[in-house]
Amino acid sequence: MSEWTPTTCMRCAVGCGHLQQGYTNNYGLDTVRGDASHPVNRGLACQRGINETADPNGEWLTRPLIREDGNLIPTSWETAIGTVVSRIEDALAETRDGVAVLGSGQQTNEAAYALGKLARGGFGTRYYDANTTLCMASAVQAYMQGFGSDAPPPTYEDVPDAETHVIWGANPKIAHPVLYRWIADSASDDDSELIVVDPVESETAADADLHVRPEPGTDLALARAVLARAVEDGLVDREFVEHHTEGFEAMVGSLPDISVAAETAGVSVERVSELAAAFDARTLVYWGMGVNQSVQGTGTARSLIDLCLATGNLGPGSGPFSLTGQANSMGNRVCASKSSWPGYRPFDDVDHRKTIAREWGVPLSRLPDSSGPGFVRIIDELARDNIDVCWTVATNPVAGMPDANHVESALDDTFLIAQDAFRSDTVELADVVLPAATWGESEGTVMNMERRVSRVTAAREPPDGVRQDVDIIGAVADRIVPDLFESTRLDPEALFDELSALTRGTTADLSGISYERLSEELAVRWPAPDETGEGGYRYYVGDGGETTANDADSPWSFPTDSGRARFSNTSHRGVPEPIDTEYPLTLTTGRRPDVYNTGVRTRSDAGDGDESATAARMHPETIADHLRAFDRGETVIESRRSAVTVSVTPDADVPPGLVWLPVHNPAANELTLSAADPESAEPNLKQCAISLSAPDRTSTDLTGSGKANGTSSYS
């Protein structure tokens, strides 16, 4: 075994510090535990994070693969890189947009920066995005529109000081166990309260003092009703609103009739009143995919921000706090040149574009004029044959995206390069597979959901045949745009220094953070414009907060044109796919405790084609109402896009008329629709209309695997 090496857990975005020991003669890590010296978790660690780090169950990729005669066969790195470069060069010769690049919130900051620099500054493509758009884009847009900049204002230090914890469309007891422990500890005080808004009685909801259950897809209607009640009941902090916000009167004028909005959400007016009353205290509002993954995700997230602004719940111990799923979703946004240039430099700002072009040493004309249509619409462009090559890095769109059959068909028809550590549904379609180093084998940094940057370190060298992401990106760049990086073998520390220098003076200033500083402090929260300081509660310039106020007499500074936070005036527009007589039930998705993201580290079947029926949770009343649709514990769930065979688990925690499937599962996503929020491009993964029917037992496929008669089965 190797010596103990400090690192950061890559499972979710809490950002827990770990200590790890690597095997010397085997794949992976021997032992992982929480790091008591780390400022984020102080030794706490969830068992899921430990298990997925030390003992992943997926099939490791150990050497490059290339498709010949329909099969993936081992090849050399020279052949793999040569083939990738040849196909990319051919595509770029036709158009700068001939290549699509899809990154991930599982990349380090350095890998995300390098990939974005290559995609935008090397290729010049606008068809570049990351899977963070599938989970956090709506929250990002809401923060940008409301505050003028991205990221939650609160930090973990605010959790113990909150009197009310409202968790909306999230299940942190499963998704973020360490953070949830802090929330639960705070809410256990006699004068504190835990409120959960979720259609399903999740593990988190089971602990709540109050559980509010809206109909899926109606969160915006409920949030506006709560806001209207808060205004009507005199809960508005008039002084805060008058001095630090704008658009309040227009927002009030846009609010719905409370009883009508409550009825739309399927919630009683009494519940609306109870929710509103919760904001008459120091309140933290946490939300997750149940809010974001909607055609109205941005509007709902903005309404939660509006609730905080109207009631004066902005400041230490209170405020809006979106819960991030992937370990480095925020780092991807800050570093990767995805929808903004490094440091949240506006993508379409001429001066910032000139700065990027100059620092990268590329022609300004090469930088794309648009940040692109987003992950979902890039797949649509692939399906229309408008893109010749697609390169996926640490992402599994076949399992994680809506309308999975459409995604699979689009990727199958293009030249697909898949860069990953484990076999996946997407790898199975690839023409070239580039095996990448995984946790414990890579060097770099990540950012957690409270803006802390911390190191990711290697406890062992990658196995023979496997390379770090930055080395693969560097090898491709060296052959296509040899002057883009200083060397073929990219050094993570040098990449971070280059990145942090680009963020100097921006709203996400990392210039005071270095590997040397991180080796001493382990984690530093941005903005960090100098070598000793770090960010506190965002936009607050009193009591040790950020110090960039436009008005020296104001404790608040928002990077908007007016220097004030902005209210919204959006309204509920209905769900994109209502139920009807043909499809009378609603499908929703949620986290399972044993699977994270698309499950390539934990799903033993990921990409191997040997699936068994996944379990759908349904209320016993739903089962009783559709008895003819069940046979031997299975049923077929059908939407307007596909049909899948599933096993059924009776569960009274799921309300009647609702069917629950695991999120980012290929079975669920054959059914989901690709409608997306027009402001964030985030897909509507939480609601679609379905029906049930009996499995067809006439098929010769008696194993429950594969596809037959229009149905498919997955685990």
Side-chain angles (χ1 to χ4, degrees):
M1 292 184 295
S2 63
E3 296 182 354
W4 288 108
T5 305
T7 192
T8 305
C9 180
M10 292 291 287
R11 186 180 195 263
C12 77
V14 173
C16 295
H18 278 180
L19 294 172
Q20 57 185 357
Q21 286 182 315
Y23 288 114
T24 53
N25 298 307
N26 198 1
Y27 293 114
L29 302 172
D30 176 66
T31 306
V32 177
R33 71 185 189 199
D35 184 354
S37 63
H38 199 278
V40 169
N41 57 312
R42 302 294 182 186
L44 287 177
C46 74
Q47 195 57 49
R48 301 176 188 106
I50 295 292
N51 290 346
E52 288 196 27
T53 303
D55 190 26
N57 196 36
E59 181 181 345
W60 301 76
L61 295 170
T62 59
R63 60 187 304 183
L65 305 173
I66 195 166
R67 191 169 297 280
E68 291 187 5
D69 298 325
N71 299 310
L72 287 172
I73 63 171
T75 190
S76 67
W77 272 104
E78 181 180 356
T79 298
I81 294 295
T83 303
V84 166
V85 167
S86 176
R87 293 303 295 259
I88 290 177
E89 286 182 329
D90 287 347
L92 293 177
E94 296 292 327
T95 169
R96 307 305 304 180
D97 293 325
V99 178
V101 181
L102 301 176
S104 169
Q106 286 290 312
Q107 296 172 270
T108 63
N109 292 319
E110 294 77 4
Y113 173 70
L115 187 66
K117 183 177 180 179
L118 177 56
R120 299 301 201 193
F123 302 162
T125 183
R126 62 191 172 103
Y127 293 132
Y128 167 58
D129 200 0
N131 58 18
T132 54
T133 297
L134 305 178
C135 57
M136 294 307 299
S138 296
V140 169
Q141 281 298 312
Y143 289 133
M144 292 294 293
Q145 293 172 13
F147 299 132
S149 184
D150 182 17
T155 73
Y156 297 156
E157 294 162 7
D158 296 297
V159 175
D161 295 332
E163 296 171 318
T164 304
H165 300 267
V166 177
I167 299 175
W168 197 307
N171 188 10
K173 190 170 185 177
I174 292 300
H176 306 97
V178 171
L179 172 60
Y180 183 69
R181 176 168 172 176
W182 301 328
I183 295 171
D185 285 348
S186 176
S188 66
D189 292 344
D190 292 339
D191 57 349
S192 296
E193 188 175 24
L194 174 63
I195 297 173
V196 173
V197 180
D198 196 317
V200 174
E201 185 165 339
S202 66
E203 291 83 352
T204 302
D207 293 342
D209 299 296
L210 173 65
H211 179 199
V212 181
R213 306 177 76 152
E215 296 286 340
T218 65
D219 297 272
L220 179 55
L222 176 59
R224 301 306 277 183
V226 174
L227 189 50
R229 176 60 78 197
V231 172
E232 188 174 293
D233 288 354
L235 303 179
V236 175
D237 185 332
R238 295 287 176 179
E239 182 177 358
F240 181 86
V241 168
E242 179 181 350
H243 291 98
H244 308 298
T245 72
E246 61 185 0
F248 177 75
E249 295 303 329
M251 181 274 293
V252 171
S254 73
L255 292 175
D257 178 272
I258 296 171
S259 60
V260 172
E263 183 178 5
T264 298
V267 172
S268 69
V269 172
E270 289 74 20
R271 280 285 188 261
V272 170
S273 298
E274 289 176 291
L275 256 177
F279 286 83
D280 193 23
R282 223 170 27 247
T283 302
L284 277 169
V285 184
Y286 316 83
W287 75 89
M289 303 310 102
V291 166
N292 294 336
Q293 290 176 337
S294 163
V295 293
Q296 300 179 134
T298 301
T300 307
R302 284 212 70 183
S303 293
L304 298 181
I305 293 171
D306 289 346
L307 271 165
C308 293
L309 294 177
T311 59
N313 273 296
L314 201 67
S318 65
F321 202 167
S322 55
L323 302 179
T324 305
Q326 293 189 86
N328 202 33
S329 288
M330 184 179 294
N332 190 277
R333 305 197 303 269
V334 171
C335 306
S337 303
K338 185 171 73 78
S339 55
S340 61
W341 302 110
Y344 296 139
R345 294 174 181 267
F347 199 88
D348 57 356
D349 184 282
V350 174
D351 290 337
H352 285 294
R353 293 169 65 83
K354 287 180 178 179
T355 296
I356 296 298
R358 182 181 67 250
E359 294 301 318
W360 284 355
V362 301
L364 180 63
S365 60
R366 186 183 295 170
L367 301 182
D369 58 6
S370 164
S371 59
F375 212 115
V376 172
R377 301 305 167 222
I378 288 175
I379 296 295
D380 291 342
E381 293 299 309
L382 286 164
R384 297 185 187 105
D385 294 327
N386 291 334
I387 303 170
D388 293 330
V389 176
C390 182
W391 180 8
T392 67
V393 180
T395 187
N396 185 17
V398 172
M401 291 189 66
D403 197 0
N405 286 335
H406 171 66
V407 176
E408 182 173 348
S409 176
L411 292 176
D412 200 26
D413 288 343
T414 191
F415 188 84
L416 178 62
I417 306 156
Q419 180 172 322
D420 215 326
F422 293 91
R423 202 117 185 167
S424 73
D425 314 80
T426 302
V427 164
E428 290 304 307
L429 300 178
D431 296 284
V432 177
V433 178
L434 305 176
T438 185
W439 311 346
E441 301 169 352
S442 301
E443 295 283 341
T445 59
V446 291
M447 294 179 198
N448 72 356
M449 70 178 83
E450 61 149 4
R451 296 177 278 120
R452 266 188 167 140
V453 179
S454 60
R455 283 296 312 277
V456 172
T457 59
R460 51 157 295 150
E461 290 292 320
D464 291 339
V466 175
R467 297 183 180 179
Q468 290 191 48
D469 279 331
V470 292
D471 294 328
I472 300 172
I473 295 164
V476 174
D478 187 59
R479 298 276 293 275
I480 298 176
V481 277
D483 296 329
L484 189 64
F485 296 102
E486 292 186 359
S487 64
T488 305
R489 191 172 180 84
L490 303 184
D491 174 53
E493 185 171 6
L495 285 170
F496 185 84
D497 290 343
E498 180 181 326
L499 161 68
S500 63
L502 269 178
T503 69
R504 183 175 288 111
T506 68
T507 56
D509 195 330
L510 311 177
S511 60
I513 305 176
S514 63
Y515 274 30
E516 181 180 3
R517 182 178 179 184
L518 291 175
S519 69
E520 298 175 358
E521 300 180 41
L522 298 182
V524 178
R525 190 186 297 121
W526 63 261
D530 57 61
E531 296 179 356
T532 58
E534 68 171 356
Y537 194 102
R538 205 159 189 218
Y539 317 122
Y540 183 64
V541 296
D543 300 330
E546 296 173 22
T547 55
T548 57
N550 298 322
D551 180 353
D553 296 327
S554 172
W556 292 97
S557 174
F558 299 100
T560 61
D561 292 340
S562 65
R564 293 167 173 252
R566 299 178 289 216
F567 281 98
S568 70
N569 53 14
T570 188
S571 299
H572 176 71
R573 300 184 301 273
V575 297
E577 194 172 74
I579 61 173
D580 55 24
T581 55
E582 187 178 2
Y583 297 97
L585 302 173
T586 298
L587 173 70
T588 194
T589 60
R591 296 280 189 200
R592 274 173 46 183
D594 56 336
V595 175
Y596 211 73
N597 296 325
T598 63
V600 296
R601 299 180 73 91
T602 49
R603 277 175 52 217
S604 59
D605 68 303
D608 66 8
D610 182 20
E611 300 97 352
S612 58
T614 196
R617 297 164 59 193
M618 302 182 198
H619 194 281
E621 183 179 313
T622 305
I623 297 172
D625 289 343
H626 298 81
L627 276 179
R628 291 186 178 182
F630 297 87
D631 182 32
R632 286 176 263 176
E634 292 186 335
T635 189
V636 175
I637 303 177
E638 184 173 359
S639 73
R640 289 179 172 84
R641 290 151 294 282
S642 187
V644 299
T645 302
V646 299
S647 63
V648 178
T649 300
D651 191 340
D653 291 339
V654 178
L658 189 67
V659 175
W660 185 100
L661 281 175
V663 69
H664 295 324
N665 180 282
N669 283 330
E670 281 200 28
L671 303 166
T672 52
L673 73 162
S674 60
D677 185 311
E679 297 180 275
S680 68
E682 184 160 350
N684 191 85
L685 286 168
K686 294 301 182 187
Q687 179 276 330
C688 69
I690 57 168
S691 64
L692 303 179
S693 61
D696 184 355
R697 300 301 186 186
T698 63
S699 169
T700 56
D701 178 10
L702 302 178
T703 65
S705 65
K707 298 183 180 181
N709 300 315
T711 68
S712 61
S713 305
Y714 289 89
S715 174

